[in-house]
Amino acid sequence: MLTNAPRGTKDIYGSYMNTWKKLENTVNEICTNFGFNEIRTPIFEHTELFQRGVGETTDIVQKEMYSFTDKGKRNITLKPEGTAGVVRAYLERKMYADAQPTKLFYLTPAFRYERPQAGRYRQFHQFGVELFGSDKPTADAEVISLAANLLKNLGINNVELHINSLGGPECRKKYNTILKEFLSENIDSLCPTCKERYEKNPLRILDCKNESCHALLKDAPFAKDNLGTECKEHFEELLSLLDAMGIEYVVDPWIVRGLDYYTRTVFEFISNDIGAQGTVCGGGRYDKLVEECGGAPTPAVGLAAGIERLIMTMEAANGPDEYKPECDIYLGYVGENAKKTTFALVNELRKNDIYAETDLMNRSVKAQMKYANKIGSKYSTIIGDNELEENSVIIKNMETREQTNLTIKEIVKFMKQNLQ
Ligand code: HAM
């Protein structure tokens, strides 16, 4: 028990951490170029925010939240996704008073009590963006193109963008009636969850993985074919903008998403390389959520990508990142006097942005050199009483074996010149 991490969690270190950092750098670069600013919201929020925000009929709220009562008897939940917290912050920090649109991005852990499997964890991480204040298809296009650029820059090519429109509240109401009518004769054959969905949120029946429910939907009407004029035009303009940017997509009427807040556009980027949990990124428009959380009517659109799934996809495409420590110089030493001089020198090198290592294990000279080799050190030296007396050290290039005689003071300058 003590040495087992909780089920569905992961330790991030070594070469995986390398890939993770590359991904974060790419995210930062792209978000800067798109004008999205980073936001960090708390790991936990009031449970009610997710109940209202994510939706009472979703699997997340019904089954998957890590909720508890704190010592002050508040109902608290570890965030199962990033959007609701950002909406709360947008309202609480009055970001609507700034020039609109507000464009935010985040990297955050998220928690869902799901059945763990490849690509599905109980603690996972999301990169997400949220754009508030524009109801125009240009905003949807901006968010989708950001994701497409991110995937391309990460070397992820074997992905398909699936896109759909669920329509605004009016269209949705009409569509729900049409879908209910279509299913009315088969209500008894629906699974218990879908029976409940039939009453509360019929659209979500399209998302059911149950074979028998799926069979009943064979000739079902789709939301995208029942849109009002404005929603239809919105969707068509978005598709034409994607065409103009050369972003390929498949219009997929089965995409309904697992969260309740979506209106109009919904989309997923699906990878063919990582098995059943292939959705690396999902999002859409949520024009009613800000209002639902107590704000003025504010249109919004956003997306989130699972970092672990992105890394799985990167590794499927390019193999795992090799973890190569790149130490610039290893300074070995013998004796107490040399130890102090070496520590002062190592400190000086590090202050000059040079990655220097020395012995912390009381190793013999031979063992110190073996270690220098193991950590891939580019240069090495040994400092002992002789070197101190003569103020002269030999720096060895570990690759070419070339040796250079220097005074101790010259080492920093030598390293700076030779590392360029
Ligand atoms: P979501 O589809 O629930 O959307 O999650 C977004 C992404 O997080 C998924 O596509 C997947 O890559 C990853 N993900 C979800 N659950 C897990 C899990 N258990 N283990 C590993 N990865 C997972 C949202 O969360 C929305 N907030 C997206 C959004 C932002 N919509 C508008 N703005």
Side-chain angles (χ1 to χ4, degrees), residues 73-86:
K73 307 240 176 332
R74 296 172 198 91
N75 291 323
I76 296 292
T77 294
L78 303 184
K79 58 172 137 168
E81 54 99 56
T83 309
V86 174

Side-chain angles (χ1 to χ4, degrees), residues 381-397:
T381 185
I382 293 281
I383 304 178
D385 287 341
N386 272 352
E387 282 75 12
L388 290 184
E389 234 163 68
E390 288 163 25
N391 188 23
S392 168
V393 291
I394 300 170
I395 304 274
K396 193 199 269 178
N397 181 320

Side-chain angles (χ1 to χ4, degrees), residues 60-78:
I60 296 181
V61 169
Q62 286 186 352
K63 300 186 236 166
E64 297 170 2
M65 295 207 297
Y66 278 86
S67 300
F68 59 97
T69 311
D70 74 5
K71 292 200 168 95
K73 307 240 176 332
R74 296 172 198 91
N75 291 323
I76 296 292
T77 294
L78 303 184

Side-chain angles (χ1 to χ4, degrees), residues 144 147 151 159-164 207 209 248-250 252 254-259 262 265-271 278-284 303-304 309:
I144 293 174
L151 296 170
V159 277
E160 267 180 6
L161 167 60
H162 290 233
I163 190 163
N164 188 23
D207 211 19
K209 303 287 175 281
E248 288 178 17
Y249 55 81
V250 183
D252 180 348
W254 292 97
I255 300 285
V256 296
R257 311 274 300 128
L259 302 97
Y262 293 109
T265 316
V266 283
F267 59 88
E268 291 184 355
F269 285 86
I270 303 173
S271 163
T279 305
V280 289
C281 174
L303 59 81
R309 287 192 199 172

Side-chain angles (χ1 to χ4, degrees), residues 77 98 123-124 128 193 200 269 308 345 406 413:
T77 294
D98 302 336
Q123 175 174 341
F124 60 101
T193 312
K200 291 190 179 154
F269 285 86
E308 290 82 356
L345 189 54
L406 295 172
K413 197 169 150 212

Side-chain angles (χ1 to χ4, degrees), residues 80 105 110 118 146 148 193 200 211 214 233 246 261 272 296 335 349 375 379 399-400 405:
F105 85 91
L146 186 150
T193 312
K200 291 190 179 154
E211 296 260 319
H214 219 74
E233 282 173 6
Y261 47 61
N272 299 313
L349 283 158
I375 61 171
Y379 291 88
E399 204 186 303
T400 62
N405 277 303

